Amino acid sequence: MDALSLLVSALPDGVVVTDPDAVEKYRFDWSRDLLAGHPLAVVRAEDAAQVQTTVRWAAEHRVPVVPRGAGSGLSGGSTAVDGGIVLSLERMRAIEVDVECRVAVVEPGALNAEVKAACAEHGLWYPPDPSSYEICSIGGNVATNAGGLCCVKYGVTTDYVLGLDVVLADGTLVTLGGKRIKDVAGLSLLKLFVGSEGTLGIVTRVLLRLVPAQAARSTLVASFPDVGSAAEAVVDVGRTLRPSMMELMDNASINAVEDYRSMGLDRTAGALLVAQSDAPGAARAEEMTQIAAACELAGATAVFSTDDPAEGEMFVEARRLAFPAIEARGALLLEDVGAPVPRLPDLLAAIAAIATEHEVEIPVVAHAGDGNTHPIIVFDAGDPASEKRARLAFEAVMRAAIDLGGTITGEHGVGRAKKGALPDQLGPEVMALNQRVKDALDPHGILNPGAVL
Amino acid sequence: MDALSLLVSALPDGVVVTDPDAVEKYRFDWSRDLLAGHPLAVVRAEDAAQVQTTVRWAAEHRVPVVPRGAGSGLSGGSTAVDGGIVLSLERMRAIEVDVECRVAVVEPGALNAEVKAACAEHGLWYPPDPSSYEICSIGGNVATNAGGLCCVKYGVTTDYVLGLDVVLADGTLVTLGGKRIKDVAGLSLLKLFVGSEGTLGIVTRVLLRLVPAQAARSTLVASFPDVGSAAEAVVDVGRTLRPSMMELMDNASINAVEDYRSMGLDRTAGALLVAQSDAPGAARAEEMTQIAAACELAGATAVFSTDDPAEGEMFVEARRLAFPAIEARGALLLEDVGAPVPRLPDLLAAIAAIATEHEVEIPVVAHAGDGNTHPIIVFDAGDPASEKRARLAFEAVMRAAIDLGGTITGEHGVGRAKKGALPDQLGPEVMALNQRVKDALDPHGILNPGAVL
């Protein structure tokens, strides 16, 4: 019996998928990497034991395993590799809310939005909210240490992970952490697995810390003549205030959204800021006034505020639409670069200069309050010259972020798309340290090989 | 030339201390471990280069290195070992506040209180506040992932560490992270070093995230007939509110403090809760009213509130005095056990039962809102039977926490004092995983040997 047949026979019927058409859908994530490999099979695991069986088999036969949640990753972290297994967690999506402990016990395939909804039924809130929250999985969120829009006030995924069940590279299942809020017993392995992009182990259960439901929010939309003045407003607000959202759209992304779906955005604005306050009671109106004042001081030409949740959500939805809207314009290279917040104007200026130099369109949206930007490089997939210019711009944007003391990725992960630039940011010694930890936990290199390192 | 002479000659005059009287002071931390070893020497490093020189020398000669900040640790994490070096960071205490980036760049020997003060000059705030904040160092805070009183709302040390310079076991200096808020480039090594208690590397510089100055606070003190009813109030408050402090003192700790210094606490109370709200504007009064209502519902016999900062600080100071006050009563074994918040009443009941069973006094203070308690076992150091009972109680308290799904240490670290109980909490597979990471980063085991693992 060949190796794959052994795996098929070790798992229940239907868990191992080998039909080429069915497998095809699992080769790509949203980064649509044209170099995606052809896997042997897809394992659609139903429980941790099946994950263990798969990994044990992979370890024995030295077969690469690429774990995959909802496939909405933007850096190629779950792009298939030749001759490997795609280990899909999409069927493991149980959600249990421990209301007393304020903890959600979640399987990795559950979508972020499903977790939020389950918690909301009990008046509880799981804050991290990637723009893709309706279609991305918690397992993927943990793998990339995903951020989102409210993270400027409420932090990112790692801040909410209290516990993980992880299948290690030899198939051992370990439980890290638990339903306690503070725990420093032993090394911070829990935190090490968060953001490890499936290269150290495969998460089969997540304990998420919940907080009381978010207070009512007000929304502010400010138009600026250019991204620089908008960025100045962001820096100024951050000095004294803690808004619960501080998003930026540049003119190109505004117009891409309006072309895609009319959302009533000001097409003439050089940049828009979409900010929210959830300060309690009367403090909310006060915070909104202060944010508005900072915008005006920085040169905003119009400031609109609303306490109406539906109206506010419309603007946030417009911001979230930027990615699908820009995707409608062509093939994309997705950036996720960050910089110290006061360097945000410099980063945005550098991106604009790179767009000009390489003759590519680079609309930008940003979690501006965290200094985390998403320049989206648009190119014509049918035109090799256009693609080449886009790839040069992609490298140049990461280089600009590094030069400003920033990062090549704030929340999407390195995956395969940004692996080439990682040494530029980390340097040889930190790269070697990463590799040492990787080798210690996955000595045969079977877990997501080719990602990150 | 012997090995030590080589070290002395490699460092400037006065950096290496070998005088026995001077060395003696560096043998113990606050856990006063009677089994503390006799080190070869103390290195009082002035900069990262001297740390590198020391570690390189130690690696070459296979000499253990115990890093040490202010020596205020409570788990024996910086207890000296025979024939080793104590590497003191106390002279490295520069603090630089980057106001624009809202980041403090701090050397490890700087005290937590010094960092807070330097930031406050610029209207900025570094939240983590161990009870010992006036005498504990930031390096020690990073080593233990220290918590404190405001952490119930604002999180612990790891939530504020944006960057670290670390000297690795071979003397290599690496820089992890930076002044950007979000960064997922590579494995989360930054988070791995936080809480590693000097077993993976020696921190020589810390970048700390700062937030705008805390808003005005109101303080509430509620008396309860017993710890169980106080714990019920804590659980109830946590369901809907986010107080910025939620501390508990039991009757024994109240009376220990009053014996030590009269602070006006209610000596007859079975337990006190000291809570604070820093909700902005009018929301503060509302939150205080809701906390008071929860206390009354749980059976509080008296609830006192004040908006006066000085009066509020007096009660918080009384809470902070618990440790020195109880220390005045005898020799101590310090616990730091935690449980899921709803298990807090069970944990406190278990501790009381253990005190009765083993005939020892165990006053308890707690960061109750986080489920993190400090039972303090008092014994007569001159009476072997008393000490034996205390040690049995010490083990029993940790066992009780583990049985409730909790932890043997919430914020003090494992050090040497709790090392024996770590396998009971983690189990053999997670212990092996800890060891694998330790071996990968410190293959010769020279960094703080005997601590944690």
Side-chain angles (χ1 to χ4, degrees):
Chain A
M1 198 150 48
D2 69 357
L4 185 59
S5 303
L6 288 169
L7 179 65
V8 171
S9 66
L11 290 167
D13 277 358
V15 169
V16 182
V17 177
T18 54
D19 172 71
D21 286 349
V23 167
E24 181 67 16
K25 288 184 294 190
Y26 292 87
R27 290 180 55 220
F28 304 94
D29 66 11
W30 275 37
S31 69
R32 316 241 188 278
D33 183 353
L34 298 176
L35 302 174
H38 290 270
L40 280 181
V42 177
V43 174
R44 300 177 71 230
E46 296 166 312
D47 55 35
Q50 293 179 4
V51 174
Q52 288 183 276
T53 298
T54 306
V55 175
R56 272 197 213 105
W57 170 89
E60 188 183 340
H61 299 280
R62 301 281 194 272
V63 176
V65 176
V66 176
R68 177 187 180 93
S72 63
L74 298 172
S75 296
S78 57
T79 301
V81 302
D82 280 335
I85 293 291
V86 173
L87 180 44
S88 169
L89 289 311
E90 74 199 305
R91 295 164 92 180
M92 293 175 59
R93 52 204 305 154
I95 301 171
E96 180 198 314
V97 181
D98 181 338
V99 177
E100 276 251 286
C101 288
R102 280 174 288 148
V103 169
V105 184
V106 180
E107 288 189 323
L111 302 186
N112 179 298
E114 293 170 344
V115 174
K116 282 186 190 297
C119 299
E121 281 180 30
H122 303 282
L124 293 169
W125 181 37
Y126 172 65
D129 59 345
S131 294
S132 58
Y133 78 103
E134 292 172 295
I135 56 161
C136 64
S137 71
I138 286 292
N141 291 179
V142 170
T144 56
N145 188 18
L149 282 67
C150 75
C151 299
V152 61
K153 182 168 181 178
Y154 291 100
V156 296
T157 303
T158 194
D159 302 320
Y160 292 88
V161 177
L162 292 181
L164 290 177
D165 282 5
V166 184
V167 174
L168 304 178
D170 64 358
T172 306
L173 177 69
V174 293
T175 293
L176 304 169
K179 291 182 181 178
R180 55 260 178 189
I181 294 171
K182 289 161 68 181
D183 186 357
V184 297
L187 298 174
S188 308
L189 299 179
L190 186 67
K191 296 281 188 186
L192 177 64
F193 280 100
V194 179
S196 62
E197 303 191 42
T199 64
L200 301 182
I202 293 170
V203 170
T204 58
R205 201 176 70 133
V206 188
L207 303 190
L208 295 170
R209 181 181 188 173
L210 308 176
V211 294
Q214 188 176 22
R217 283 155 285 167
S218 297
T219 305
L220 174 149
V221 183
S223 298
F224 291 83
D226 49 59
V227 291
S229 54
E232 291 296 348
V234 171
V235 175
D236 192 30
V237 164
R239 286 195 185 100
T240 52
L241 303 174
R242 302 207 67 184
S244 59
M245 184 182 298
M246 182 55 86
E247 296 289 313
L248 180 147
M249 301 176 73
D250 73 352
N251 178 269
S253 63
I254 294 164
N255 280 287
V257 168
E258 284 295 315
D259 289 348
Y260 182 72
R261 191 183 305 170
S262 178
M263 300 294 286
L265 302 180
D266 174 5
R267 279 181 179 274
T268 68
L272 287 181
L273 285 184
V274 181
Q276 287 193 332
S277 168
D278 66 354
R284 181 154 53 106
E286 200 177 309
E287 190 164 72
M288 291 294 286
T289 304
Q290 292 173 291
I291 296 171
C295 289
E296 279 156 8
L297 188 69
T301 52
V303 177
F304 169 80
S305 297
T306 176
D307 295 338
D308 180 54
E311 195 174 25
E313 177 55 24
M314 203 189 64
F315 287 106
V316 179
E317 178 62 18
R319 156 64 188 87
R320 283 200 205 95
L321 275 180
F323 174 71
I326 295 165
E327 199 179 30
R329 298 177 89 83
L332 307 182
L333 290 175
L334 298 149
E335 293 277 13
D336 174 38
V337 294
V341 178
R343 297 291 87 74
L344 189 60
D346 303 327
L347 180 60
L348 293 170
I351 293 163
I354 290 165
T356 303
E357 183 188 341
H358 295 283
E359 299 171 53
V360 285
E361 196 189 356
I362 313 183
V364 180
V365 294
H367 306 307
D370 282 329
N372 182 198
T373 71
H374 296 315
I376 304 175
I377 301 165
V378 186
F379 66 97
D380 177 352
D383 174 359
S386 166
E387 179 168 350
K388 187 178 174 192
R389 290 199 307 276
R391 295 206 177 274
L392 289 172
F394 186 70
E395 299 301 322
V397 168
M398 291 191 283
R399 188 72 249 169
I402 293 170
D403 288 346
L404 289 166
T407 178
I408 61 170
T409 176
E411 58 180 16
H412 292 172
V414 174
R416 290 169 177 81
K418 304 200 144 198
K419 190 173 61 158
L422 189 62
D424 297 337
Q425 178 175 333
L426 300 187
E429 283 157 350
V430 176
M431 284 299 291
L433 193 61
N434 272 270
Q435 192 65 52
R436 241 195 288 168
V437 172
K438 165 73 173 175
D439 292 344
L441 268 59
D442 179 20
H444 303 303
I446 63 163
L447 294 177
N448 214 2
V452 187
L453 297 172
Chain B
M1 195 148 55
D2 69 357
L4 186 58
S5 303
L6 287 169
L7 179 64
V8 171
S9 66
L11 290 167
D13 277 358
V15 169
V16 182
V17 176
T18 54
D19 172 70
D21 286 350
V23 168
E24 181 66 16
K25 289 183 294 189
Y26 291 87
R27 291 180 55 220
F28 305 95
D29 67 11
W30 274 35
S31 68
R32 317 239 187 280
D33 184 352
L34 299 175
L35 303 175
H38 291 270
L40 281 181
V42 178
V43 174
R44 300 176 70 231
E46 295 166 313
D47 55 34
Q50 294 179 4
V51 173
Q52 288 184 276
T53 299
T54 305
V55 175
R56 272 197 213 104
W57 170 88
E60 187 182 342
H61 299 282
R62 300 284 195 270
V63 176
V65 176
V66 176
R68 177 188 181 91
S72 63
L74 297 172
S75 295
S78 58
T79 301
V81 302
D82 282 332
I85 292 291
V86 174
L87 180 45
S88 170
L89 288 313
E90 72 199 307
R91 294 163 93 178
M92 291 175 59
R93 54 205 304 156
I95 302 170
E96 180 199 313
V97 181
D98 181 337
V99 177
E100 277 252 287
C101 287
R102 282 175 287 148
V103 169
V105 183
V106 180
E107 287 188 325
L111 302 186
N112 179 297
E114 293 170 345
V115 174
K116 281 186 190 299
C119 299
E121 281 179 31
H122 303 282
L124 293 169
W125 181 36
Y126 172 66
D129 58 345
S131 294
S132 58
Y133 78 103
E134 292 172 295
I135 56 162
C136 64
S137 71
I138 286 293
N141 292 179
V142 170
T144 57
N145 188 16
L149 282 66
C150 74
C151 301
V152 63
K153 182 167 181 179
Y154 291 100
V156 295
T157 304
T158 194
D159 301 321
Y160 293 88
V161 177
L162 292 181
L164 289 177
D165 281 5
V166 183
V167 174
L168 304 178
D170 64 357
T172 307
L173 177 68
V174 293
T175 293
L176 304 169
K179 291 182 181 177
R180 54 259 177 189
I181 294 171
K182 289 161 68 182
D183 185 357
V184 298
L187 299 173
S188 307
L189 300 179
L190 186 67
K191 297 280 188 187
L192 177 64
F193 281 100
V194 178
S196 64
E197 302 191 41
T199 65
L200 301 182
I202 294 170
V203 169
T204 57
R205 201 175 71 132
V206 188
L207 303 190
L208 295 170
R209 181 181 187 173
L210 308 176
V211 294
Q214 190 176 21
R217 283 156 285 166
S218 298
T219 306
L220 174 149
V221 184
S223 297
F224 291 84
D226 48 59
V227 290
S229 54
E232 291 297 348
V234 170
V235 175
D236 193 31
V237 165
R239 284 196 186 100
T240 52
L241 304 174
R242 302 207 67 184
S244 59
M245 184 182 297
M246 183 53 86
E247 295 288 313
L248 180 148
M249 301 176 75
D250 73 351
N251 178 269
S253 62
I254 294 164
N255 280 286
V257 168
E258 284 296 314
D259 289 348
Y260 182 73
R261 192 183 303 170
S262 178
M263 300 293 286
L265 302 180
D266 175 5
R267 280 182 179 272
T268 69
L272 287 181
L273 285 183
V274 182
Q276 288 192 332
S277 168
D278 66 353
R284 179 153 54 106
E286 200 177 309
E287 189 164 72
M288 290 295 284
T289 303
Q290 292 173 293
I291 296 171
C295 290
E296 279 156 8
L297 188 68
T301 53
V303 178
F304 169 80
S305 297
T306 177
D307 295 339
D308 180 55
E311 196 175 24
E313 177 55 25
M314 204 189 62
F315 288 106
V316 179
E317 176 64 18
R319 157 63 188 87
R320 283 200 205 96
L321 274 179
F323 175 71
I326 295 166
E327 199 179 30
R329 297 177 89 83
L332 306 182
L333 290 175
L334 298 150
E335 294 277 15
D336 175 38
V337 294
V341 177
R343 297 291 86 75
L344 189 59
D346 304 327
L347 180 59
L348 293 170
I351 292 164
I354 290 164
T356 303
E357 184 190 342
H358 295 284
E359 299 172 52
V360 285
E361 199 189 353
I362 313 184
V364 179
V365 294
H367 306 306
D370 281 329
N372 182 201
T373 72
H374 296 315
I376 304 176
I377 301 166
V378 186
F379 66 97
D380 177 352
D383 174 0
S386 167
E387 179 166 349
K388 187 179 175 194
R389 292 198 307 277
R391 295 207 177 272
L392 289 172
F394 186 71
E395 299 301 323
V397 167
M398 290 191 284
R399 187 73 248 169
I402 293 169
D403 288 347
L404 289 166
T407 179
I408 61 171
T409 177
E411 58 180 16
H412 292 172
V414 174
R416 290 166 178 83
K418 306 201 142 195
K419 191 173 59 158
L422 189 63
D424 297 338
Q425 179 176 333
L426 300 188
E429 283 157 350
V430 177
M431 284 297 292
L433 194 60
N434 272 269
Q435 192 66 52
R436 239 193 289 167
V437 173
K438 165 72 174 173
D439 292 345
L441 269 60
D442 179 21
H444 304 304
I446 62 163
L447 294 177
N448 215 2
V452 188
L453 298 170

